[in-house]
C-alpha cells in the first residue's frame, strides 16, 4: 500500500437500526477517507438477537447513504479483520460517544490488533446532539410509543411504522 492508494475505511456495526448518530460518524469519516464501507456484522461479538433482519438493516443503510457514492453498504460474516483484509483496508472507524463506550471499544481495538498487527482503529466523536443516542434506546422508545423521528432517517421511521410502532408525532 502506498500513500497514493485510496484510503478505504471500514465502519462496522450492528446498525439495528442505523441512527442519525451512525450517519454522522460515517459522513465525518469522509473528511479523511476516500471511501467508507459501512459493514453490518452477521455475527456480532456480543451474543444479542437483532431486532431487524440483516437484510432489513442493510436496506435501511443503503437508503440512508444513497446520496453519496463514496459510502458503500454491505454485510460481512466472520472476523472483522478478515473482512477488512478482503477489502484491502486496515482502518476501522468506531464512534465514541462517552467514557462508558471506551472499555468495550478499547477491548475490541486491542483484540483486533492482536489478530492483525497492522490494523488501526480510529475513534470519531459524534456531534454532541447525538451523544446520548443508541440504536437500543431508539428501539425501546419506538416500542413504547415515543417519537423517534429526530433520531432516525425517514426510511427507518417507515420500517417502525410498518410494524405498527407509531408513537406520538410519527
Ligand atoms: O454496533 P456493535 O454491535 O457495537 O458492533 C460490534 C461489531 C460488529 C463491530 C463487532 O461485534 C465485530 O467486529 N464483529 C465481527 C466479529 C469479530 O471480528 N469479532 C472480534 C472483534 S474483537
Amino acid at each position: 500500500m502506498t500513500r497514493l492508494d485510496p484510503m478505504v475505511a471500514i465502519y462496522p456495526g450492528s446498525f439495528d437500526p442505523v441512527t442519525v448518530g451512525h450517519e454522522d460518524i460515517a459522513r465525518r469519516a469522509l473528511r479523511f477517507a476516500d471511501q467508507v464501507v459501512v459493514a453490518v456484522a452477521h455475527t456480532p461479538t456480543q451474543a444479542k438477537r437483532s431486532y431487524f433482519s440483516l437484510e432489513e438493516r442493510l436496506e435501511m443503510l443503503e437508503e440512508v447513504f444513497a446520496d453519496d457514492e463514496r459510502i458503500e453498504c454491505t454485510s460481512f460474516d466472520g472476523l472483522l479483520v478478515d473482512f477488512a483484509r478482503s477489502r484491502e483496508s486496515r482502518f476501522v472507524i468506531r464512534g465514541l460517544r462517552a467514557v462508558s463506550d471506551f472499555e468495550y471499544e478499547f477491548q475490541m481495538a486491542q483484540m483486533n490488533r492482536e489478530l492483525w498487527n497492522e490494523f488501526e482503529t480510529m475513534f470519531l466523536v459524534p456531534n454532541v446532539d447525538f451523544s446520548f443516542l443508541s440504536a437500543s434506546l431508539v428501539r425501546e422508545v419506538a416500542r413504547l410509543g415515543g417519537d423517534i423521528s429526530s433520531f432516525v432517517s425517514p426510511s427507518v421511521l417507515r420500517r417502525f411504522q410498518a410494524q405498527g410502532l407509531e408513537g406520538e408525532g410519527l
Side-chain angles (χ1 to χ4, degrees):
M1 185 181 291
T2 72
R3 294 272 302 168
L4 295 178
D5 286 325
M7 201 277 210
V8 179
I10 313 287
Y11 180 31
S14 304
F15 303 110
D16 188 26
V18 55
T19 68
V20 290
H22 294 128
E23 189 178 342
D24 177 60
I25 294 290
R27 294 190 195 277
R28 252 170 225 288
L30 285 171
R31 292 180 174 178
F32 54 85
D34 299 298
Q35 195 198 355
V36 173
V37 179
V38 183
V40 191
H42 219 149
T43 48
T45 304
Q46 293 182 334
K48 52 183 179 186
R49 249 186 94 232
S50 66
Y51 181 81
F52 289 103
S53 70
L54 185 72
E55 293 70 28
E56 287 174 312
R57 286 179 279 152
L58 189 51
E59 275 168 25
M60 287 185 273
L61 283 166
E62 280 165 349
E63 285 161 10
V64 165
F65 295 116
D67 63 319
D68 198 325
E69 61 184 19
R70 295 170 300 167
I71 302 181
E72 176 193 336
C73 302
T74 188
S75 62
F76 73 102
D77 216 347
L79 287 175
L80 175 61
V81 289
D82 291 338
F83 172 70
R85 269 203 195 94
S86 75
R87 299 304 307 261
E88 299 188 346
S89 170
R90 58 187 174 88
F91 302 108
V92 68
I93 307 293
R94 293 285 290 171
L96 209 53
R97 291 162 299 189
V99 177
S100 50
D101 282 342
F102 185 74
E103 204 172 311
Y104 168 58
E105 295 297 336
F106 186 70
Q107 204 180 5
M108 278 204 299
Q110 294 289 27
M111 176 56 87
N112 283 327
R113 182 167 297 152
E114 283 298 313
L115 295 170
W116 183 17
N117 193 34
E118 303 263 301
F119 200 64
E120 297 298 342
T121 303
M122 303 165 83
F123 294 112
L124 296 187
V125 176
N127 184 309
V128 69
D129 293 346
F130 310 137
S131 56
F132 65 93
L133 195 55
S134 70
S136 57
L137 275 185
V138 166
R139 294 195 303 271
E140 181 170 327
V141 172
R143 198 166 45 235
L144 297 174
D147 180 1
I148 57 163
S149 57
S150 54
F151 310 142
V152 295
S153 68
S155 67
V156 174
L157 190 59
R158 281 194 295 276
R159 301 274 170 158
F160 279 108
Q161 287 172 328
Q163 299 186 341
L165 295 174
E166 299 192 25
E168 254 176 65
L170 295 191

